[in-house]
């Protein structure tokens, strides 16, 4: 199968055409002035900022052409086409820390991905390349840098990934969410922009009552939103499931995003309970934030940024196996400023529901957390990043 084997494009073209034909066809149709590649994915924390940046670029320069490059089998191959952009998939995977034997094929996959990237660049000839993190970012940006093409990195976390640190040395500019990132990147290349947030979160004007109706819930109960990231969070889900009766007994209701893993089990636990809305994935997360009074969440960079914008009192449960434990770093930044609460993953069984119930009964603490977390909200990071990139490709 050729390089376009698992690729989805928004253009209705003959599927027998080669990757070069597909790209050339799309360029002829759009009469493009400038072309940009956005590389990365793997989780919503990489994909949604990438889409936000793409949308901001299109809003500022309508005839710009944007092509995404992701990793085959990852969620970007579904989410990016849903947003209206073409994407091409690489045969690549990351280093597996839990099973070294699974890394035997990694050098072969890396070489193959570079060959695929070379083919894409030969046909597409981008004017700029943006990396947002994820498996596909490294080969795409490394190749672009070797060709002298302007490259831009968006690092969403407060602790930079190793691949981005390597790429940052030759990057044109590096967009970061917080200060202090000069310990990872050249200081003269850093732009503190914040993290791009989806417009359905920053721009929704729905009332709380209508938001609750959307989920089939009542307006006279405290609503707890449970989100473990786009892939789910087993420890959080297990704690909620084990204490499912406690919510109803304390006059609380739930909006529960479980993720795909074991979702059937959690749906069984919630079955028949009118105070619980449960789903594997909530597409309209902006409405969920409006409906919520309290949030339980992992502390990936994008979740943290969205919660700052929403201003919701939050109990963070950092994923302890994230690279360099960066989720704990993300959460601690807000906890130390009295802007959030935190429960360690190892203590979820004993502490999570107890902490949430205590917070639900403490209106003063809820208000204090709201007031302190909203200070860190950034609403226009996507526009700031788009403006910077367009300076180099006019």
């Amino acid at each position: 199968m050729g390089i376009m084997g698992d690729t989805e494009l928004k253009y209705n073209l003959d599927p027998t055409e080669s990757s070069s034909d597909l790209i050339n066809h799309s360029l002829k149709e759009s009469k493009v002035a400038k072309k940009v590649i956005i590389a990365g994915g793997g989780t919503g924390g990489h994909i949604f900022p990438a889409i936000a940046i793409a949308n901001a670029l299109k809003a500022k320069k309508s005839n710009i052409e944007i092509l995404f490059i992701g990793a085959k089998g990852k969620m970007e191959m579904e989410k990016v086409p849903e947003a209206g952009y073409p994407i091409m998939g690489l045969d690549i995977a990351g280093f597996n820390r839990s099973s070294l034997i699974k890394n035997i094929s990694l050098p072969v996959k890396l070489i193959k991905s570079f060959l695929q990237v070379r083919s894409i660049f030969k046909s597409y000839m981008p004017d700029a390349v943006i990396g947002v993190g994820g498996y596909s970012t490294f080969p795409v940006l490394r190749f672009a840098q070797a060709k002298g093409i302007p490259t831009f990195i968006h690092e969403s976390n407060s602790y930079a990934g190793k691949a981005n640190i390597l790429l940052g040395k030759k990057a044109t500019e590096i967009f970061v969410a917080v200060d202090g990132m000069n310990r990872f990147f050249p200081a003269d290349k850093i732009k503190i922009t914040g993290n791009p947030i989806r417009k359905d979160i920053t721009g929704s004007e729905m009332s709380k009552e209508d938001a609750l109706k959307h989920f089939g819930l009542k307006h006279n109960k405290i609503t707890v939103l449970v989100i473990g990231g786009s892939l789910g969070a087993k420890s959080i889900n297990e704690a909620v499931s084990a204490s499912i009766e406690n919510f109803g007994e304390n006059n609380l209701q739930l909006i529960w995003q479980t993720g795909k893993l074991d979702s059937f089990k959690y749906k069984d636990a919630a079955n028949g309970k009118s105070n619980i809305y449960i789903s594997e994935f909530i597409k309209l997360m902006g409405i969920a934030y409006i409906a919520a009074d309290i949030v339980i969440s992992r502390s990936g960079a994008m979740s943290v940024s969205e919660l700052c914008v929403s201003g919701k009192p939050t109990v963070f449960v950092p994923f302890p196996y994230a690279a360099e434990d960066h989720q704990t770093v993300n959460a601690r930044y807000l906890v130390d400023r009295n802007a959030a609460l935190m429960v360690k993953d190892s203590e979820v069984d004993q502490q999570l529901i107890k902490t949430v119930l205590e917070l639900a009964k403490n209106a003063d603490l809820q208000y204090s957390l709201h007031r302190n977390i909203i200070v860190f909200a950034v609403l226009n990071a996507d526009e700031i990043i788009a403006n910077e990139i367009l300076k180099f490709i006019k």
Side-chain angles (χ1 to χ4, degrees):
M1 183 175 289
I3 191 169
M4 290 293 296
D6 290 348
T7 298
E8 294 183 67
L9 292 175
K10 63 180 177 180
Y11 307 103
N12 295 318
L13 304 177
D14 183 347
T16 62
E17 289 183 284
S18 67
S19 60
S20 177
D21 292 334
L22 283 169
I23 294 173
N24 289 334
H25 191 144
S26 68
L27 297 183
K28 288 177 183 177
E29 285 188 346
S30 60
K31 297 180 181 179
V32 66
K34 295 294 180 180
K35 295 162 285 181
V36 173
I37 283 176
I38 301 180
T43 68
H46 293 143
I47 298 165
F48 296 128
I51 292 172
I53 293 170
N55 289 341
L57 286 168
K58 292 289 285 186
K60 293 178 179 298
K61 196 176 183 67
S62 61
N63 65 339
I64 200 168
E65 182 74 12
I66 297 173
L67 173 68
F68 281 75
I69 299 179
K72 289 181 180 179
K74 296 299 180 180
M75 67 182 294
E76 60 264 28
M77 303 307 294
E78 174 186 353
K79 298 301 178 184
V80 169
E82 285 180 359
Y85 293 100
I87 185 167
M88 304 180 75
L90 303 181
D91 295 294
I92 190 170
F95 184 80
N96 192 310
R97 293 178 174 84
S98 62
S99 176
L100 295 179
I101 194 70
K102 293 182 180 180
N103 294 308
I104 292 176
S105 63
L106 190 58
V108 175
K109 288 183 177 180
L110 191 59
I111 292 171
K112 185 176 181 180
S113 71
F114 271 102
L115 294 175
Q116 291 174 318
V117 169
R118 183 175 67 179
S119 176
I120 293 171
F121 273 60
K122 184 178 180 181
S123 297
Y124 193 73
M125 295 184 291
D127 296 288
V129 178
I130 307 163
V132 296
Y135 299 150
S136 61
T137 292
F138 185 79
V140 175
L141 265 71
R142 179 62 91 195
F143 188 87
Q145 289 174 347
K147 293 296 182 181
I149 299 169
T151 58
F152 304 86
I153 294 171
H154 176 252
E155 175 55 70
S156 58
N157 287 298
S158 53
Y159 199 104
K162 289 183 172 62
N164 276 354
I165 293 172
L166 291 173
L167 293 166
K169 296 174 183 178
K170 293 185 178 181
T172 305
E173 286 190 343
I174 303 160
F175 309 118
V176 300
V178 296
D179 57 10
M181 298 299 283
N182 55 336
R183 58 192 170 131
F184 304 112
F185 302 117
D188 60 335
K189 296 184 178 183
I190 293 174
K191 301 285 183 181
I192 301 176
T193 62
N195 285 327
I197 305 297
R198 291 172 279 179
K199 289 302 182 186
D200 68 304
I201 292 171
T202 61
S204 179
E205 297 181 355
M206 181 179 287
S207 69
K208 182 170 184 177
E209 185 173 356
D210 286 340
L212 288 168
K213 285 181 180 178
H214 175 83
F215 295 104
L217 299 175
K218 299 178 180 180
H219 70 276
N220 59 347
K221 293 185 177 183
I222 291 179
T223 303
V224 180
L225 172 62
V226 183
I227 46 176
S230 54
L231 303 180
K234 183 177 176 62
S235 63
I236 294 175
N237 286 336
E238 290 292 330
V240 170
S241 180
S243 302
I244 200 79
E245 301 295 342
N246 286 3
F247 293 97
E249 291 169 359
N250 286 274
N251 202 35
L252 303 180
Q253 54 192 6
L254 288 182
I255 300 173
W256 186 6
Q257 177 180 280
T258 65
K260 291 184 178 181
L261 183 64
D262 293 332
S263 61
F264 68 93
K265 181 171 65 174
Y266 307 126
K267 288 177 180 178
D268 284 345
N271 187 38
K273 293 177 172 58
S274 61
N275 66 320
I276 298 177
Y277 172 90
I278 186 167
S279 177
E280 291 182 9
F281 185 77
I282 299 173
K283 288 187 177 182
L284 301 176
M285 188 57 72
I287 299 178
Y289 285 135
I290 293 171
D293 296 293
I294 294 170
V295 181
I296 301 171
S297 177
R298 288 298 197 197
S299 48
M302 290 314 303
S303 294
V304 170
S305 295
E306 290 180 0
L307 287 162
C308 289
V309 169
S310 71
K312 298 299 177 178
T314 302
V315 180
F316 286 117
V317 183
F319 180 57
Y321 304 109
E324 311 297 342
D325 198 21
H326 69 257
Q327 287 206 10
T328 298
V329 176
N330 293 342
R332 179 60 64 186
Y333 185 85
L334 292 174
V335 171
D336 288 346
R337 289 157 179 80
N338 299 314
L341 304 179
M342 182 172 71
V343 173
K344 293 181 180 179
D345 194 80
S346 60
E347 299 175 356
V348 162
D349 292 345
Q350 295 79 29
Q351 296 296 325
L352 180 59
I353 305 306
K354 177 183 176 183
T355 300
V356 171
L357 293 178
E358 289 174 353
L359 178 57
K361 296 173 183 177
N362 191 336
D364 289 341
L365 180 56
Q366 290 177 47
Y367 178 73
S368 177
L369 293 175
H370 156 74
R371 183 187 60 206
N372 292 339
I373 196 171
I374 206 166
V375 169
F376 299 98
V378 178
L379 298 176
N380 64 338
D382 55 343
E383 296 179 11
I384 296 171
I385 291 171
N387 284 333
E388 287 296 321
I389 293 168
L390 289 173
K391 290 179 182 177
F392 292 87
I393 58 172
K394 288 183 178 179

